[in-house]
Amino acid sequence: MARSEDSPWAVSVAQVASRAGQSKPVDSDFPAPGGIGDEVIGVEEGAPVHVAGSFDSIVDGLVLTARVTAPVHAECTRCLKPLRRDWGVDVTAFFPYESPAADAGKGRGRDEEVEIIAGEEESEDTYPLLANGAFADLEALLRDTLVEALPLQPLCREDCRGLCSQCGADLNEDPDHHHDVTDIRFAALAGLKAQLEAEQRD
Ligand SMILES: [Zn+2]
Ligand SMILES: [Zn+2]
């Protein structure tokens, strides 16, 4: 059986887990776990996901505060142009020394501490440490964080003009594009009229 520390997502934290008040910086790429999004929008499995931040030890566990940056592939909701850009999300995660179940009811006020570090607009989750606290495995954390952060309605740019609802032309490339006739039935009649006029000229 593969050892947990051989996982590409394992980060050695033994040196900071020994006592409170220590910090270990993280600044490296991890392969994107599978299952983030789908063909239309997501992060390709194995794509480099950058994690920059630090593990800080508090009394009963480690707090990871980091910025996670991943290449997200998507499609503009309005013009369907393929998009490929780095998506960054701030994350705060707690790795308790004991299982959360064993920790329950002890009321050591860790929520308070994490909250101060977390600030606004960040997700906070709890993950187990591996090998008696020697390693933090970031696989589940990265998956959860990125799945949550996927944009629901990505746009190639805020003011994307989208596609012509009648012919599908890209209105970004041709801002003056328009159709003189707004109703498809009149369009058919106009075509017939032009045809008749052309025949009369012959
Ligand atoms: Zn667009
Ligand atoms: Zn058109």
Side-chain angles (χ1 to χ4, degrees):
M1 201 181 102
R3 292 175 307 159
S4 52
E5 54 265 46
D6 290 336
S7 154
W9 297 283
V11 177
S12 167
V13 291
Q15 59 275 55
V16 281
S18 52
R19 62 187 174 87
Q22 315 243 59
S23 184
K24 179 198 165 98
V26 190
D27 188 7
S28 42
D29 284 345
F30 296 89
I36 302 172
D38 51 31
E39 305 273 288
V40 179
I41 178 161
V43 180
E44 210 171 296
E45 186 171 355
V49 177
H50 195 78
V51 179
S54 64
F55 279 97
D56 296 288
S57 58
I58 56 175
V59 175
D60 52 2
L62 300 175
V63 177
L64 170 66
T65 314
R67 180 147 187 94
V68 175
T69 310
V72 169
H73 65 83
E75 227 172 46
C76 174
T77 316
R78 291 189 199 146
C79 73
L80 310 181
K81 203 174 285 169
L83 307 176
R84 204 165 253 282
R85 62 179 61 157
D86 281 348
W87 204 264
V89 54
D90 290 322
V91 65
T92 302
F94 184 61
F95 294 79
Y97 293 144
E98 294 166 303
S99 70
D103 226 24
K106 288 187 183 174
R108 277 184 274 180
R110 71 163 172 82
D111 287 341
E112 208 178 314
E113 283 179 77
V114 171
E115 210 171 292
I116 292 163
I117 298 166
E120 284 176 24
E121 308 258 325
E122 293 180 5
S123 61
E124 180 214 312
D125 290 295
T126 298
Y127 297 93
L129 288 169
L130 307 172
N132 292 321
F135 293 90
D137 190 300
L138 301 185
E139 181 181 10
L141 165 74
L142 291 179
R143 183 183 293 113
D144 295 351
T145 302
L146 292 170
V147 165
E148 227 169 85
L150 287 179
L152 293 176
Q153 305 235 296
L155 296 174
C156 60
R157 56 178 213 229
E158 277 305 313
D159 60 347
C160 171
R161 307 169 78 103
L163 303 177
C164 171
S165 60
Q166 293 181 50
C167 72
D170 188 337
L171 300 180
N172 296 305
E173 282 164 19
D174 184 8
D176 296 327
H177 177 92
H178 71 285
H179 297 264
D180 286 328
V181 279
T182 49
D183 190 307
I184 194 80
R185 289 165 298 179
F186 292 137
L189 287 176
L192 189 63
K193 183 166 171 268
Q195 204 183 329
L196 290 170
E197 278 169 359
E199 279 169 15
Q200 277 165 14
R201 272 198 298 274
D202 285 341

